[in-house]
Amino acid sequence: MTVLATSRRPAPGGSPVSRPARSGASSVGRPGFIWALPATIFFALFALVPLAAVAVLSFTSWSGLGDPRFVGFENWETLMADPVMLKSLWLSLLFIVLGVVTQTPLSILLGVWAAGNQRNRAVLSAIYFIPLLLSSAAISVLWRALLDPNFGIPGQLSWLFGDGNLLGTQSGAIGVLIFVGMWQFTPFHTLIYQGAARGIPHVLYQAAEIDGAGRVRQFFAITLPQLRNTAITSIILMVVGGLTTFETVLILTNGGPGTDTTITAFYMYQEAFQSFDFGVGSAIALVLVIVATAISLVVVKVSGYDKMNSSLEGL
Amino acid sequence: MNNRTRMSRSLAGGAVMMLGLTLAGCSGGGGDASSRPENELHLAVYGDAGNTVEQAMVDKFNKTSDVKIVLDTIPGADYQKKLQTIIDTDSAPDIFFNWGGGSIANFVDAGLLLPLDEFIEEDPQLKDAFLPSVFETAVIDDKAYGVPMRGTQPVMLFNNSEVLKQAGIDAPPATWDELLEDVKKLKAAGVTPIALGGGDKWPTQMWFQYVFDRVAGEDLFQAALDGDTDVWDSEESREALGKLRELIDAGAFGTNFDSVKFTDGGSPALLASGRAGFELMGSWEYATQQDSDPAFAEEVLGYSEFPAIEGGEGDPHNLAGNTNNFYSIHKETRYPEEAAEFLKLMYSDEFVQEQVAIGNLPTTTNTEKFLDKAADPEYAKYQFDLVQKAPHFQLSWDQAYPPEATVTIHTAVSQFFSGQIDEDGFIKAMQGL
């Protein structure tokens, strides 16, 4: 860095010495296949190969004892006829939608607020950030204890929670999981929006002020449209997070009551590692991959993200 | 673009674990005795505080034997998963900890375990030194596959004696009708009659184990386990479910039991704080209460057998719970004789003394001699007496069945309790096993 910086400095006397600056760039070269090699190897080793292995396993019956036995489409037929599987997909979808709907507005508002320069903003932002530093397991155990119907918050606020049977009803259990997810992940998305909001050029706001736009109008006419690409990034991350939510379900509800919060990722774990049916577990994993790819394609197409349109055109 | 790649990567990343298992499974494929290390026996045990005794026994054995035992402790929560993964590979243990019953049934089917009958013929003590109701747990198809190696944990009906007194109950219920009567009294006194950690699901299952045993006797469950699923639809089965429904509808467990867990201390706290009268739980309830409040455990906590059910076929002294843990021997072991020699330590006086000293209750016939040295001799003697007298000791359902049945059983019992399914739904679920 220092070498580059000094070499770019105009030579004393103002004589144009351009050679050193050019050589800095040309020695690195244009991006080629070699650049992509490390990532490609990692992706193949840790994503494609396991994916292929799982695809093969999904056509076998295997409990971990002996060798996997090929059973053709038996696992897939089982899954097609399995009401829990279908329910788990709907539940996953519901979790994604609820997650996006609750986390997005909150993190946009917090992020835009945190991008300003109000008093105490840095301190409060740091506090809001804390949940992100805790592990999902710790967060789940924490909320599990806080939500105990007899000795936790519901026990103290019985006028609000009744008998406190939050985790014993489907709506209650889903509500708890969505709330805990919101508590855990909003800080992360807030951070993304904060960064993006800071990057919006001030000239836009100055121009709007001259035109007589108030703060609310500025927010809707400038801030939100400028955050468009950031929002797509954030939403895709939420979709992935929603699809792979696992620890919170395992610890908070264990898929219950009954199978009412058994989302697909948790069902995969149950079949593979509790019931030792790696064939069916692998089939569920493949379904997850297919669904996730489909959803991401739809999001990218619908949002126009693949066109990489700049929101700063003309500036 | 980048995000798409990242997503599929993170999703597929979850599959890495599975690949690991695939490789582990394929590379092994059994192997024979000669591929195992010389002069070494590997002993796999469930890793927890009880390992001190196992280490002591290994040390004792190694002093006199040329073949040395290596103790491999596997962290508790992952024990069954790890065992299932390595049992059919070259790195399988020679001797391993298990729960008997369903936890080893698949291994027996796959021909991975060594029957102990020959060793028992040579040394009958390997069978006769243990309480029969416990030893039975590791007998599969009339062959013995395991020797008890820790303490027994029967399920009992615990109570808060002060709460019972305040509600006008003089003694724990001896019959089902008395239990229903007590539920009424406790409700009238404004407490939850019975604490239940329904969020864990297995505490709910304990009620089924006992009520089915009392109403129909031990044969119904054994028949179901042997593959006769019609018994779930029998008259006795429906009567047992009716009894349970009667108890639930009487409000015995309150309304929010599905949000309460035993494992995070929720349900034991209900009992200890006087907000519940009873809790049906394994013998570890005592240690749990003692941990948080020694005075309560010693003076207020009461315990009794599960009540008898009038007209039922089961013996009222039958027990349910964890009979004990067992050592089984892998068929491919290089040193079967030495492994059997090690198992003989499990009925030695020294073993029993060590177990009693750390609060476990071994199930050997010589245990009685050492009960005075237990932390709470009265409690230890009461339990031992129960186990000794029990005509039948029913292994917990989720352990009697192979592990793949656990999710189904747990879901069915908890859905029945919360009212999501009725008798027919429960019967259908159990018939699907």
Side-chain angles (χ1 to χ4, degrees):
Chain A
M1 278 312 274
T2 41
V3 179
L4 268 178
T6 44
S7 66
R8 270 194 189 139
R9 199 184 297 151
S15 63
V17 187
S18 53
R19 201 168 44 86
R22 241 203 340 247
S23 83
S26 64
S27 70
V28 180
R30 288 184 59 79
F33 176 69
I34 300 290
W35 287 36
L37 203 59
T40 312
I41 290 175
F42 268 99
F43 184 65
L45 206 62
F46 293 109
L48 296 181
V49 172
L51 199 62
V54 164
V56 172
L57 264 187
S58 73
F59 294 101
T60 66
S61 168
W62 190 44
S63 64
L65 304 178
D67 293 325
R69 188 169 48 83
F70 273 91
V71 292
F73 283 90
E74 201 178 282
N75 294 331
W76 291 95
E77 279 161 22
T78 313
L79 275 191
M80 295 292 173
D82 184 357
V84 181
M85 179 68 209
L86 189 68
K87 188 171 160 187
S88 81
L89 280 174
W90 281 117
L91 281 171
S92 289
L93 212 61
L94 183 71
F95 271 68
I96 291 169
V97 171
L98 288 179
V100 170
V101 167
T102 52
Q103 290 172 30
T104 304
L106 196 61
S107 43
I108 288 181
L109 287 176
L110 278 174
V112 170
W113 172 81
N117 46 14
Q118 306 86 339
R119 277 188 70 187
N120 303 330
R121 180 199 52 78
V123 176
L124 285 174
S125 296
I127 293 174
Y128 293 160
F129 196 65
I130 288 175
L132 193 59
L133 303 177
L134 304 175
S135 80
S136 300
I139 287 174
S140 308
V141 171
L142 179 81
W143 279 104
R144 173 86 222 177
L146 282 174
L147 292 172
D148 185 285
N150 303 300
F151 304 101
I153 298 168
Q156 299 300 317
L157 300 177
S158 53
W159 55 270
L160 181 61
F161 292 104
D163 64 358
N165 196 20
L166 284 176
L167 296 171
T169 61
Q170 180 171 30
S171 51
I174 291 176
V176 166
L177 287 171
I178 294 298
F179 174 78
V180 172
M182 186 171 85
W183 191 82
Q184 180 181 7
F185 290 114
T186 299
F188 173 68
H189 296 284
T190 300
L191 195 69
I192 297 182
Y193 283 115
Q194 182 195 21
R198 286 231 171 113
I200 300 174
H202 279 287
V203 288
L204 292 176
Y205 292 104
Q206 287 160 356
E209 239 165 74
I210 293 170
D211 290 345
R215 300 196 61 167
V216 176
R217 182 72 198 270
Q218 284 181 18
F219 176 77
F220 283 105
I222 299 172
T223 313
L224 271 190
Q226 287 289 320
L227 290 178
R228 180 191 159 91
N229 283 345
T230 311
I232 294 162
T233 309
S234 153
I235 286 172
I236 290 183
L237 289 174
M238 283 176 192
V239 169
V240 177
L243 272 178
T244 53
T245 298
F246 172 70
E247 309 96 301
T248 38
V249 175
L250 178 73
I251 296 170
L252 277 166
T253 69
N254 203 2
T259 55
D260 283 351
T261 56
T262 301
I263 61 172
T264 312
F266 180 74
Y267 193 47
M268 170 181 77
Y269 164 80
Q270 259 191 346
E271 286 296 316
F273 293 99
Q274 287 188 332
S275 302
F276 294 113
D277 193 340
F278 292 105
V280 172
S282 302
I284 300 174
L286 269 192
V287 171
L288 256 185
V289 171
I290 294 166
V291 170
T293 312
I295 291 180
S296 75
L297 283 180
V298 168
V299 171
V300 169
K301 273 271 176 269
V302 167
S303 62
Y305 190 67
D306 54 340
K307 297 189 191 77
M308 285 284 170
N309 286 339
S310 168
S311 53
L312 295 175
E313 208 89 350
L315 276 175
Chain B
M1 283 300 158
N2 197 16
N3 278 301
R4 221 182 331 174
T5 326
R6 192 182 306 157
M7 172 166 57
S8 37
R9 184 184 313 174
S10 67
L11 277 171
V16 171
M17 253 191 311
M18 299 216 173
L19 175 75
L21 287 173
T22 320
L23 296 177
C26 294
S27 62
D32 52 75
S34 60
S35 62
R36 291 171 171 275
E38 263 179 72
N39 292 324
E40 249 182 37
L41 275 169
H42 279 266
L43 176 68
V45 295
Y46 185 96
D48 65 13
N51 293 143
T52 50
V53 181
E54 277 108 45
Q55 187 64 58
M57 290 301 116
V58 167
D59 291 344
K60 188 180 176 194
F61 179 85
N62 285 350
K63 250 182 233 164
T64 57
S65 167
D66 292 334
V67 178
K68 306 295 182 195
I69 293 182
V70 182
L71 183 72
D72 300 322
T73 56
I74 299 172
D78 298 323
Y79 185 80
Q80 187 72 23
K81 289 177 194 110
K82 168 107 188 200
L83 184 66
Q84 181 108 4
T85 316
I86 61 171
I87 191 88
D88 199 14
T89 70
D90 286 341
S91 40
D94 298 282
I95 311 170
F96 65 92
F97 167 105
N98 60 71
W99 290 265
S103 72
I104 53 170
N106 286 342
F107 303 159
V108 171
D109 284 347
L112 295 172
L113 300 191
L114 193 67
L116 305 178
D117 302 86
E118 259 179 53
F119 304 121
I120 292 170
E121 250 170 61
E122 285 167 26
D123 175 16
Q125 282 284 88
L126 260 182
K127 180 180 183 195
D128 298 342
F130 301 100
L131 301 182
S133 63
V134 173
F135 192 83
E136 276 301 306
T137 307
V139 174
I140 294 174
D141 298 334
D142 294 328
K143 284 186 182 148
Y145 286 98
V147 164
M149 49 69 70
R150 271 193 184 180
T152 182
Q153 297 172 321
V155 172
M156 292 174 276
L157 188 61
F158 290 87
N159 65 64
N160 182 323
S161 57
E162 277 173 6
V163 172
L164 297 197
K165 213 177 291 166
Q166 279 159 15
I169 300 165
D170 306 324
T175 65
W176 187 256
D177 290 340
E178 282 177 34
L179 178 66
L180 289 173
E181 200 56 43
D182 293 349
V183 164
K184 260 186 228 160
K185 286 181 187 165
L186 287 165
K187 265 183 84 172
V191 299
T192 306
I194 304 169
L196 175 65
D200 284 319
K201 299 178 184 172
W202 51 261
T204 312
Q205 175 194 263
M206 290 174 166
W207 284 92
F208 286 79
Q209 286 161 198
Y210 265 123
V211 172
F212 268 80
D213 193 278
R214 291 285 187 271
V215 169
E218 66 261 29
D219 296 338
L220 184 143
F221 182 75
Q222 191 55 47
L225 200 58
D226 292 340
D228 178 11
T229 54
D230 287 344
V231 295
W232 291 114
D233 200 11
S234 64
E235 207 176 300
E236 291 90 358
S237 169
R238 285 183 180 276
E239 194 191 328
L241 291 173
K243 294 269 183 215
L244 285 167
R245 182 61 75 205
E246 188 184 8
L247 190 66
I248 300 163
D249 288 348
F253 305 99
T255 56
N256 58 16
F257 51 84
D258 269 329
S259 301
V260 180
K261 274 191 176 184
F262 175 85
T263 44
D264 64 11
S267 63
L270 276 177
L271 193 68
S273 64
R275 293 170 64 171
F278 296 103
E279 176 167 30
L280 187 66
M281 191 41 66
S283 58
W284 56 85
E285 170 92 34
Y286 189 90
T288 307
Q289 298 288 6
Q290 205 174 26
D291 267 351
S292 50
D293 185 358
F296 172 78
E298 210 162 302
E299 288 151 30
V300 185
L301 185 67
Y303 37 85
S304 63
E305 275 179 277
F306 194 84
I309 292 182
E310 299 85 344
E313 284 175 34
D315 192 300
H317 295 304
N318 277 356
L319 286 175
N322 299 340
T323 61
N324 203 331
N325 299 117
F326 297 84
Y327 275 143
S328 296
I329 303 181
H330 199 286
K331 198 168 212 163
E332 304 295 344
T333 182
R334 196 169 181 144
Y335 304 103
E337 295 295 331
E338 283 78 3
E341 208 56 43
F342 175 69
L343 297 193
K344 289 178 190 168
L345 288 177
M346 299 305 122
Y347 58 77
S348 66
D349 283 358
E350 193 183 336
F351 166 81
V352 175
Q353 273 172 311
E354 295 244 11
Q355 289 287 3
V356 168
I358 63 162
N360 284 344
L361 184 65
T363 51
T364 56
T365 47
N366 59 348
T367 299
E368 222 165 353
K369 289 192 287 186
F370 303 103
L371 289 182
D372 285 329
K373 299 204 178 73
D376 185 332
E378 195 193 337
Y379 182 60
K381 281 177 183 164
Y382 177 80
Q383 272 187 81
F384 190 77
D385 194 44
L386 283 187
V387 178
Q388 203 173 20
K389 271 193 327 202
H392 178 74
F393 194 153
Q394 176 59 55
L395 181 61
S396 298
W397 284 6
D398 51 4
Q399 281 166 15
Y401 272 101
E404 57 263 32
T406 305
V407 174
T408 310
I409 298 174
H410 283 180
T411 305
V413 295
S414 76
Q415 284 185 322
F416 185 80
F417 259 55
S418 66
Q420 283 184 316
I421 56 174
D422 59 4
E423 275 85 346
D424 292 327
F426 181 82
I427 289 165
K428 198 173 154 234
M430 295 305 281
Q431 283 181 333
L433 284 178

Coordinates of all heavy atoms in Angstrom, one line a residue, chain B residues 212-239:
Chain B
F212 N -50.8 -48.2 30.9 CA -51.0 -49.3 30.1 C -50.6 -50.6 30.9 O -51.2 -51.6 30.8 CB -50.1 -49.2 28.8 CG -50.9 -48.6 27.7 CD1 -51.1 -47.3 27.6 CD2 -51.5 -49.4 26.7 CE1 -51.8 -46.7 26.6 CE2 -52.2 -48.9 25.6 CZ -52.4 -47.5 25.6
D213 N -49.5 -50.5 31.6 CA -49.0 -51.7 32.4 C -50.0 -52.1 33.5 O -50.4 -53.3 33.6 CB -47.7 -51.4 33.0 CG -47.0 -52.7 33.6 OD1 -47.4 -53.1 34.7 OD2 -46.2 -53.2 32.8
R214 N -50.6 -51.1 34.2 CA -51.5 -51.4 35.2 C -52.8 -52.0 34.7 O -53.4 -52.9 35.2 CB -51.8 -50.1 36.0 CG -50.7 -49.6 36.9 CD -50.5 -50.4 38.1 NE -49.5 -49.8 39.0 CZ -48.2 -50.0 38.9 NH1 -47.7 -50.9 38.0 NH2 -47.3 -49.5 39.8
V215 N -53.3 -51.4 33.6 CA -54.6 -51.8 33.0 C -54.5 -53.2 32.3 O -55.3 -54.1 32.5 CB -55.2 -50.8 32.0 CG1 -56.4 -51.3 31.3 CG2 -55.6 -49.5 32.8
A216 N -53.4 -53.3 31.4 CA -53.4 -54.4 30.5 C -52.3 -55.4 30.9 O -52.2 -56.5 30.3 CB -53.2 -54.0 29.1
G217 N -51.4 -55.1 31.8 CA -50.3 -56.0 32.2 C -49.2 -55.8 31.2 O -49.4 -55.1 30.1
E218 N -48.0 -56.4 31.5 CA -46.8 -56.1 30.7 C -46.9 -56.8 29.3 O -46.2 -56.4 28.4 CB -45.6 -56.6 31.4 CG -45.4 -58.1 31.6 CD -45.8 -58.5 33.0 OE1 -46.7 -57.8 33.6 OE2 -45.3 -59.5 33.5
D219 N -47.8 -57.7 29.1 CA -47.9 -58.5 27.9 C -48.3 -57.7 26.7 O -47.9 -57.9 25.5 CB -48.8 -59.7 28.0 CG -48.2 -60.7 29.0 OD1 -47.0 -60.6 29.3 OD2 -49.0 -61.5 29.6
L220 N -49.2 -56.7 26.9 CA -49.7 -55.9 25.8 C -48.5 -55.2 25.1 O -48.4 -55.3 23.9 CB -50.7 -54.9 26.2 CG -51.4 -54.1 25.1 CD1 -52.9 -53.9 25.4 CD2 -50.7 -52.8 24.9
F221 N -47.7 -54.5 25.9 CA -46.7 -53.8 25.2 C -45.6 -54.7 24.6 O -45.1 -54.4 23.5 CB -46.0 -52.8 26.2 CG -44.9 -52.0 25.6 CD1 -45.2 -50.9 24.8 CD2 -43.5 -52.4 25.8 CE1 -44.2 -50.2 24.2 CE2 -42.5 -51.6 25.2 CZ -42.9 -50.5 24.4
Q222 N -45.4 -55.8 25.3 CA -44.4 -56.8 24.7 C -44.9 -57.3 23.4 O -44.1 -57.4 22.4 CB -44.2 -57.9 25.7 CG -43.0 -58.8 25.3 CD -41.7 -58.1 25.1 OE1 -41.4 -57.2 26.0 NE2 -41.0 -58.3 24.0
A223 N -46.2 -57.6 23.3 CA -46.8 -58.1 22.0 C -46.6 -57.0 20.9 O -46.3 -57.3 19.8 CB -48.3 -58.4 22.2
A224 N -46.9 -55.8 21.3 CA -46.8 -54.7 20.3 C -45.3 -54.6 19.8 O -45.1 -54.4 18.6 CB -47.2 -53.4 20.9
L225 N -44.4 -54.7 20.8 CA -43.0 -54.7 20.4 C -42.6 -55.8 19.5 O -41.7 -55.6 18.6 CB -42.2 -54.7 21.8 CG -40.8 -54.2 21.7 CD1 -40.7 -52.7 21.3 CD2 -40.2 -54.3 23.2
D226 N -43.2 -57.0 19.7 CA -42.9 -58.1 18.9 C -43.6 -58.1 17.5 O -43.4 -59.0 16.7 CB -43.3 -59.4 19.6 CG -42.5 -59.7 20.9 OD1 -41.4 -59.1 20.9 OD2 -42.9 -60.4 21.8
G227 N -44.3 -57.0 17.3 CA -44.9 -56.8 15.9 C -46.4 -57.0 15.8 O -46.9 -56.8 14.7
D228 N -47.1 -57.4 16.9 CA -48.5 -57.5 16.9 C -49.2 -56.2 17.1 O -49.6 -55.8 18.2 CB -49.0 -58.6 17.9 CG -50.5 -58.7 17.9 OD1 -51.1 -58.2 16.9 OD2 -51.0 -59.4 18.8
T229 N -49.3 -55.3 16.1 CA -49.8 -54.0 16.3 C -51.3 -53.9 16.6 O -51.9 -52.9 17.0 CB -49.5 -53.1 15.1 OG1 -50.1 -53.7 13.9 CG2 -48.1 -52.9 14.9
D230 N -52.0 -55.1 16.4 CA -53.5 -55.1 16.7 C -53.8 -54.8 18.2 O -54.8 -54.3 18.5 CB -54.0 -56.5 16.4 CG -54.1 -56.7 14.9 OD1 -54.1 -55.7 14.2 OD2 -54.3 -57.9 14.4
V231 N -52.8 -55.1 19.0 CA -53.1 -54.9 20.5 C -53.3 -53.5 20.8 O -54.0 -53.2 21.8 CB -51.9 -55.5 21.4 CG1 -51.8 -57.0 21.2 CG2 -50.6 -54.8 21.0
W232 N -52.8 -52.6 20.0 CA -53.1 -51.2 20.3 C -54.6 -50.8 20.2 O -55.1 -49.9 20.8 CB -52.3 -50.2 19.4 CG -50.8 -50.3 19.7 CD1 -49.9 -50.7 18.8 CD2 -50.2 -49.8 20.8 NE1 -48.6 -50.6 19.4 CE2 -48.8 -50.0 20.6 CE3 -50.6 -49.3 22.1 CZ2 -47.8 -49.7 21.6 CZ3 -49.6 -49.0 23.0 CH2 -48.2 -49.2 22.8
D233 N -55.3 -51.6 19.4 CA -56.7 -51.4 19.2 C -57.6 -52.3 20.1 O -58.8 -52.4 19.9 CB -57.1 -51.7 17.7 CG -58.4 -51.0 17.3 OD1 -58.9 -50.2 18.1 OD2 -58.9 -51.3 16.2
S234 N -56.9 -53.0 21.1 CA -57.7 -53.9 22.0 C -58.5 -53.1 23.0 O -58.3 -51.9 23.1 CB -56.7 -54.8 22.7 OG -55.9 -54.0 23.5
E235 N -59.4 -53.9 23.6 CA -60.2 -53.3 24.6 C -59.4 -52.7 25.8 O -59.7 -51.6 26.3 CB -61.1 -54.4 25.2 CG -62.4 -53.9 25.7 CD -63.3 -55.1 26.2 OE1 -63.6 -56.0 25.3 OE2 -63.6 -55.2 27.4
E236 N -58.3 -53.4 26.2 CA -57.5 -52.9 27.3 C -56.8 -51.6 26.9 O -56.7 -50.7 27.7 CB -56.4 -54.0 27.7 CG -56.9 -55.2 28.3 CD -57.3 -56.3 27.3 OE1 -57.1 -56.0 26.1 OE2 -57.7 -57.4 27.7
S237 N -56.3 -51.6 25.7 CA -55.6 -50.4 25.2 C -56.6 -49.2 25.3 O -56.2 -48.1 25.8 CB -55.1 -50.6 23.8 OG -54.7 -49.4 23.2
R238 N -57.8 -49.4 24.8 CA -58.8 -48.3 24.8 C -59.2 -47.9 26.2 O -59.4 -46.7 26.5 CB -60.0 -48.7 24.0 CG -59.8 -48.6 22.5 CD -61.0 -48.9 21.7 NE -60.7 -48.9 20.3 CZ -60.7 -47.7 19.6 NH1 -61.0 -46.6 20.2 NH2 -60.4 -47.7 18.3
E239 N -59.2 -48.9 27.1 CA -59.5 -48.6 28.5 C -58.4 -47.7 29.1 O -58.7 -46.8 29.9 CB -59.7 -49.9 29.3 CG -60.3 -49.7 30.7 CD -60.3 -50.9 31.5 OE1 -60.3 -52.0 31.0 OE2 -60.2 -50.7 32.8

